[in-house]
Amino acid sequence: MNPIWLASYPRSGNTLVRTILFQCFNLKTGSVYSNDLGGNKDLENYVGHIEQSEDRSIAFPEGSLPIIKTHTHHKGSNKTIYVVRDGRAAAVSLWEFTNPKVSMTNIIEGKHKFGNWYEHIESWEPLSRPNTLLLRYEDILDNLDVVLIQLSSFLERDITCNQLPSRDKIAGNDGKWVRKKTDWRKVLSEADLKRFNEINQSSLEQLGYI
């Protein structure tokens, strides 16, 4: 069976969706990146992460689905869950994750290996791409029950649990992959926000963020 991609721009809720798949559907997931969660075993167990073998293969449990996380640009026609988050919030979270290695300016301009927010969305075209479920990070936080139904229908799997442990509790135990909430309005300078909007205006409008 071909992999099911769990795709997103970095810091857009990919780890959260992986957690939902494990905690609410009993589906473990892998990643195209080795040592994906920094070797944090508690977090790996909470998320349901399957680490790569030495040959970079991923051993999914029998009867499971081969769901694999990626932040790369569009990859073929495989069935895909695409997670999108307000690009301003994603940019701030990525800056906090990579700081001081990558500046806010370079994140906004896309001068790093994942490119800018607009390019990533244009690459995957989640609103029109066949066999694709588009999930908004904000909807996951506000309407988990609806998101669970969408995932259940898309993956043809029954929901086993309707609740998640507190995000703040997990963030407190990790602090890197799962961080406490930050308000992008308090971080982006006026110049940064203006430049971000110039680059990403069409996608912000298309996805209902402005």
Side-chain angles (χ1 to χ4, degrees):
M1 182 178 181
N2 290 331
I4 299 171
W5 298 124
L6 177 53
S8 70
Y9 189 74
R11 311 305 299 167
S12 295
N14 203 304
T15 300
L16 174 58
V17 174
R18 296 182 70 191
T19 304
I20 290 169
L21 291 171
F22 181 52
Q23 299 285 347
C24 301
F25 293 91
N26 197 31
L27 290 171
K28 290 190 173 184
T29 56
S31 173
V32 298
Y33 311 105
S34 60
N35 196 32
D36 184 71
L37 297 174
N40 184 329
K41 297 302 180 183
D42 289 339
L43 185 58
E44 288 180 4
N45 291 334
Y46 176 75
V47 170
H49 171 69
I50 305 172
E51 185 54 51
Q52 295 180 1
S53 302
E54 290 185 4
D55 63 359
R56 301 201 67 181
S57 64
I58 301 171
F60 290 96
E62 185 177 352
S64 186
L65 295 174
I67 302 173
I68 300 177
K69 162 190 172 175
T70 182
H71 293 316
T72 59
H73 284 201
H74 177 71
K75 295 176 72 69
S77 59
N78 292 29
K79 195 169 186 176
T80 296
I81 301 168
Y82 189 88
V83 189
V84 67
R85 181 185 188 184
D86 186 325
R88 295 159 294 191
V92 166
S93 184
L94 182 57
W95 173 72
E96 291 176 337
F97 185 85
T98 59
N99 190 35
K101 293 182 180 179
V102 184
S103 68
M104 181 66 78
T105 297
N106 284 344
I107 286 173
I108 292 172
E109 297 288 345
K111 295 179 179 179
H112 56 95
K113 65 179 180 179
F114 298 112
N116 66 42
W117 186 72
Y118 167 81
E119 291 170 340
H120 200 279
I121 293 169
E122 285 293 295
S123 170
W124 282 93
E125 297 181 304
L127 288 170
S128 59
R129 186 178 185 273
N131 298 316
T132 299
L133 174 63
L134 172 62
L135 296 179
R136 287 166 48 107
Y137 175 80
E138 296 79 10
D139 292 338
I140 296 171
L141 298 183
D142 295 337
N143 299 292
L144 179 59
D145 287 342
V146 173
V147 170
L148 291 179
I149 292 171
Q150 291 175 321
L151 283 167
S152 177
S153 176
F154 186 72
L155 298 173
E156 299 181 343
R157 291 291 171 125
D158 292 334
I159 301 167
T160 59
C161 179
N162 289 80
Q163 294 182 329
L164 290 174
S166 168
R167 179 186 182 279
D168 288 340
K169 179 179 179 181
I170 301 304
N173 291 336
D174 175 59
K176 184 171 177 65
W177 275 265
V178 182
R179 304 177 64 92
K180 293 186 177 180
K181 294 179 181 179
T182 300
D183 187 347
W184 60 264
R185 297 170 184 82
K186 298 179 180 178
V187 178
L188 288 177
S189 68
E190 184 175 341
D192 285 337
L193 180 58
K194 179 180 179 181
R195 182 57 180 150
F196 185 91
N197 289 341
E198 287 174 350
I199 295 172
N200 301 283
Q201 182 82 17
S202 61
S203 290
L204 286 168
E205 291 178 350
Q206 188 179 38
L207 292 163
Y209 287 115
I210 56 175

PDB file of all heavy atoms in Angstrom, residues 7 9 27 29 76 81 87 94 113 136:
ATOM      1  N   ALA A   7       0.958  15.909   5.401  1.00  0.00           N
ATOM      2  CA  ALA A   7       1.800  17.000   4.925  1.00  0.00           C
ATOM      3  C   ALA A   7       1.404  18.327   5.546  1.00  0.00           C
ATOM      4  O   ALA A   7       0.232  18.577   5.826  1.00  0.00           O
ATOM      5  CB  ALA A   7       1.708  17.106   3.393  1.00  0.00           C
ATOM      6  N   TYR A   9       3.219  22.668   6.103  1.00  0.00           N
ATOM      7  CA  TYR A   9       4.342  23.572   6.315  1.00  0.00           C
ATOM      8  C   TYR A   9       4.781  23.375   7.770  1.00  0.00           C
ATOM      9  O   TYR A   9       3.944  23.079   8.641  1.00  0.00           O
ATOM     10  CB  TYR A   9       3.890  25.013   6.088  1.00  0.00           C
ATOM     11  CG  TYR A   9       5.007  26.027   6.074  1.00  0.00           C
ATOM     12  CD1 TYR A   9       5.858  26.122   4.985  1.00  0.00           C
ATOM     13  CD2 TYR A   9       5.203  26.897   7.139  1.00  0.00           C
ATOM     14  CE1 TYR A   9       6.874  27.054   4.957  1.00  0.00           C
ATOM     15  CE2 TYR A   9       6.225  27.829   7.128  1.00  0.00           C
ATOM     16  CZ  TYR A   9       7.067  27.904   6.035  1.00  0.00           C
ATOM     17  OH  TYR A   9       8.086  28.814   6.025  1.00  0.00           O
ATOM     18  N   LEU A  27      -3.780   4.744  15.591  1.00  0.00           N
ATOM     19  CA  LEU A  27      -2.951   4.637  14.395  1.00  0.00           C
ATOM     20  C   LEU A  27      -1.596   5.284  14.659  1.00  0.00           C
ATOM     21  O   LEU A  27      -1.513   6.494  14.884  1.00  0.00           O
ATOM     22  CB  LEU A  27      -3.629   5.329  13.209  1.00  0.00           C
ATOM     23  CG  LEU A  27      -4.876   4.665  12.626  1.00  0.00           C
ATOM     24  CD1 LEU A  27      -5.541   5.596  11.616  1.00  0.00           C
ATOM     25  CD2 LEU A  27      -4.531   3.325  11.984  1.00  0.00           C
ATOM     26  N   THR A  29       2.138   6.557  13.452  1.00  0.00           N
ATOM     27  CA  THR A  29       2.605   7.203  12.225  1.00  0.00           C
ATOM     28  C   THR A  29       4.122   7.277  12.197  1.00  0.00           C
ATOM     29  O   THR A  29       4.786   7.259  13.236  1.00  0.00           O
ATOM     30  CB  THR A  29       2.033   8.625  12.095  1.00  0.00           C
ATOM     31  OG1 THR A  29       2.378   9.383  13.270  1.00  0.00           O
ATOM     32  CG2 THR A  29       0.518   8.588  11.947  1.00  0.00           C
ATOM     33  N   GLY A  76       3.804  13.494  -5.561  1.00  0.00           N
ATOM     34  CA  GLY A  76       2.982  12.553  -6.301  1.00  0.00           C
ATOM     35  C   GLY A  76       1.488  12.673  -6.048  1.00  0.00           C
ATOM     36  O   GLY A  76       0.977  13.728  -5.688  1.00  0.00           O
ATOM     37  N   ILE A  81      -3.349  13.854   3.873  1.00  0.00           N
ATOM     38  CA  ILE A  81      -3.946  14.778   4.833  1.00  0.00           C
ATOM     39  C   ILE A  81      -3.049  16.007   4.840  1.00  0.00           C
ATOM     40  O   ILE A  81      -1.853  15.897   5.127  1.00  0.00           O
ATOM     41  CB  ILE A  81      -4.020  14.167   6.243  1.00  0.00           C
ATOM     42  CG1 ILE A  81      -4.851  12.884   6.247  1.00  0.00           C
ATOM     43  CG2 ILE A  81      -4.601  15.180   7.237  1.00  0.00           C
ATOM     44  CD1 ILE A  81      -4.724  12.085   7.533  1.00  0.00           C
ATOM     45  N   GLY A  87      -0.560  31.357   8.389  1.00  0.00           N
ATOM     46  CA  GLY A  87       0.856  31.439   8.086  1.00  0.00           C
ATOM     47  C   GLY A  87       1.645  32.364   8.996  1.00  0.00           C
ATOM     48  O   GLY A  87       2.843  32.164   9.213  1.00  0.00           O
ATOM     49  N   LEU A  94       7.881  28.748  13.732  1.00  0.00           N
ATOM     50  CA  LEU A  94       9.096  28.229  13.100  1.00  0.00           C
ATOM     51  C   LEU A  94      10.310  29.047  13.508  1.00  0.00           C
ATOM     52  O   LEU A  94      11.394  28.493  13.738  1.00  0.00           O
ATOM     53  CB  LEU A  94       8.927  28.234  11.580  1.00  0.00           C
ATOM     54  CG  LEU A  94      10.090  27.676  10.761  1.00  0.00           C
ATOM     55  CD1 LEU A  94      10.414  26.250  11.172  1.00  0.00           C
ATOM     56  CD2 LEU A  94       9.772  27.753   9.265  1.00  0.00           C
ATOM     57  N   LYS A 113      15.194  25.658   3.965  1.00  0.00           N
ATOM     58  CA  LYS A 113      14.953  24.458   3.139  1.00  0.00           C
ATOM     59  C   LYS A 113      13.488  24.177   2.840  1.00  0.00           C
ATOM     60  O   LYS A 113      13.183  23.426   1.905  1.00  0.00           O
ATOM     61  CB  LYS A 113      15.592  23.231   3.778  1.00  0.00           C
ATOM     62  CG  LYS A 113      15.010  22.815   5.125  1.00  0.00           C
ATOM     63  CD  LYS A 113      15.727  21.580   5.632  1.00  0.00           C
ATOM     64  CE  LYS A 113      15.194  21.104   6.962  1.00  0.00           C
ATOM     65  NZ  LYS A 113      15.882  19.880   7.434  1.00  0.00           N
ATOM     66  N   ARG A 136      -7.685  22.449   8.974  1.00  0.00           N
ATOM     67  CA  ARG A 136      -7.167  23.704   9.512  1.00  0.00           C
ATOM     68  C   ARG A 136      -6.808  23.509  10.986  1.00  0.00           C
ATOM     69  O   ARG A 136      -7.607  22.975  11.770  1.00  0.00           O
ATOM     70  CB  ARG A 136      -8.201  24.818   9.378  1.00  0.00           C
ATOM     71  CG  ARG A 136      -8.396  25.338   7.974  1.00  0.00           C
ATOM     72  CD  ARG A 136      -9.655  26.189   7.850  1.00  0.00           C
ATOM     73  NE  ARG A 136      -9.749  27.182   8.907  1.00  0.00           N
ATOM     74  CZ  ARG A 136      -9.547  28.492   8.739  1.00  0.00           C
ATOM     75  NH1 ARG A 136      -9.227  28.962   7.556  1.00  0.00           N
ATOM     76  NH2 ARG A 136      -9.681  29.326   9.732  1.00  0.00           N
TER      77      ARG A 136
END
